[in-house]
Amino acid sequence: MSKLKIWMKRSVMSALFIGALLTTFHSISGVEARSIVQLHQSDAEQAGEDGNSKFDHTLKSVGVAFKFLKQAVSLEPKISASEAVAIEQPPTLEASIDWSQYQKKQVIATGYTAFYESTGKNPDHPSFGITYSGVKVKRDLYSTVAADLNVFPIGTILFVPGYGYGVVADKGGAIKGNKLDLYYETVDDVYNNWGKKTLDVYIVEMGDGTLTEEELKLLNENESMQVFRQQYIKSEKK
């Protein structure tokens, strides 16, 4: 009799354990307990027919529950290739803004650096890297570009597809008419990332002839634009 009581006690404790286990499993995975019960109902019935004790059946159920839980937890969520690309690739500026709202102008765009081959200045020159507007050259989400100031005054903000925003900060002897010189940090960047292109640029805002370091900093540190900024900064580091 004492053994029967012990078995019954163990059966009840095992049943309570299974109930708690399946409740936790359901809360995590969304799979209900009856899914497990139905899956192994035939095993339970067979166990009863063979005269196995309730304790044996309970232990078997516990083993099945653990096995099922282990298999379910080990399953990894699967997504399609297109969904993976969408997750990994944040939206681009080109795709995120309706550029048709801005006036566009066709230009010939080339690239330049602050070094001698573009400006005739070396790093030891006192005005090396300083644009006509007085701000330092910068490659960022909003980069400094050179233009014909009669076409695009200092401070004009342009969007150049494939380059990003360009803020007119400089001029050049060979930059006349509808031409732009886009700033890059190195000659390799110019050749590898740009070269020379004829394309439409969008006039976001016409300048008033002035540009300060603080204005350029505020443009680049606009909180809502940081996701796009990182894309342009990372592209230059590849």
Side-chain angles (χ1 to χ4, degrees):
M1 180 65 69
S2 60
K3 290 184 178 181
L4 179 60
K5 288 183 178 180
I6 293 174
W7 284 351
M8 290 180 64
K9 184 177 180 180
R10 288 179 177 177
S11 297
V12 171
M13 293 300 293
S14 297
L16 291 174
F17 175 77
I18 294 172
L21 178 64
L22 295 180
T23 299
T24 303
F25 174 60
H26 172 59
S27 66
I28 296 174
S29 66
V31 177
E32 297 184 1
R34 65 170 177 267
S35 299
I36 299 176
V37 173
Q38 291 172 355
L39 181 65
H40 302 285
Q41 185 175 9
S42 60
D43 289 341
E45 293 173 351
Q46 183 64 40
E49 292 174 359
D50 292 343
N52 292 337
S53 66
K54 292 182 179 179
F55 179 55
D56 291 337
H57 172 61
T58 301
L59 289 178
K60 181 178 180 181
S61 298
V62 172
V64 169
F66 271 117
K67 182 178 180 181
F68 189 89
L69 180 60
K70 182 178 180 181
Q71 291 174 344
V73 172
S74 67
L75 294 177
E76 296 182 356
K78 297 180 180 180
I79 59 176
S80 66
S82 59
E83 290 174 329
V85 171
I87 293 173
E88 294 174 358
Q89 299 297 329
T92 62
L93 274 172
E94 282 87 344
S96 300
I97 298 176
D98 178 14
W99 296 105
S100 64
Q101 64 183 303
Y102 299 108
Q103 179 185 351
K104 64 182 179 181
K105 184 182 286 291
Q106 187 177 83
V107 301
I108 297 174
T110 51
Y112 81 105
T113 72
F115 292 91
Y116 187 85
E117 63 276 358
S118 295
T119 64
K121 301 173 184 176
N122 290 309
D124 58 355
H125 193 286
S127 60
F128 176 81
I130 305 299
T131 64
Y132 179 77
S133 66
V135 304
K136 295 179 181 178
V137 290
K138 177 179 285 293
R139 178 66 179 119
D140 210 323
L141 174 60
Y142 287 85
S143 303
T144 54
V145 302
D148 184 334
L149 303 186
N150 293 316
V151 179
F152 299 121
I154 294 291
T156 296
I157 300 175
L158 305 169
F159 180 72
V160 184
Y163 179 77
Y165 287 109
V167 184
V168 177
D170 213 345
K171 64 178 184 176
I175 308 301
K176 301 296 182 183
N178 296 340
K179 292 184 177 181
L180 293 177
D181 229 357
L182 313 178
Y183 175 71
Y184 281 97
E185 294 181 347
T186 68
V187 174
D188 285 343
D189 287 341
V190 172
Y191 285 109
N192 295 333
N193 298 319
W194 193 261
K196 180 179 181 181
K197 299 179 183 180
T198 299
L199 75 168
D200 289 331
V201 299
Y202 298 89
I203 304 172
V204 177
E205 181 181 327
M206 290 296 285
D208 61 3
T210 63
L211 178 65
T212 67
E213 289 283 2
E214 183 63 23
E215 290 171 336
L216 190 58
K217 179 180 178 181
L218 288 174
L219 286 172
N220 278 303
E221 295 184 358
N222 184 308
E223 185 175 351
S224 65
M225 300 296 289
Q226 292 310 297
V227 62
F228 301 116
R229 184 185 188 189
Q230 291 304 312
Q231 292 175 32
Y232 284 92
I233 293 175
K234 289 178 180 177
S235 68
E236 296 305 308
K237 301 301 181 183
K238 292 180 179 179

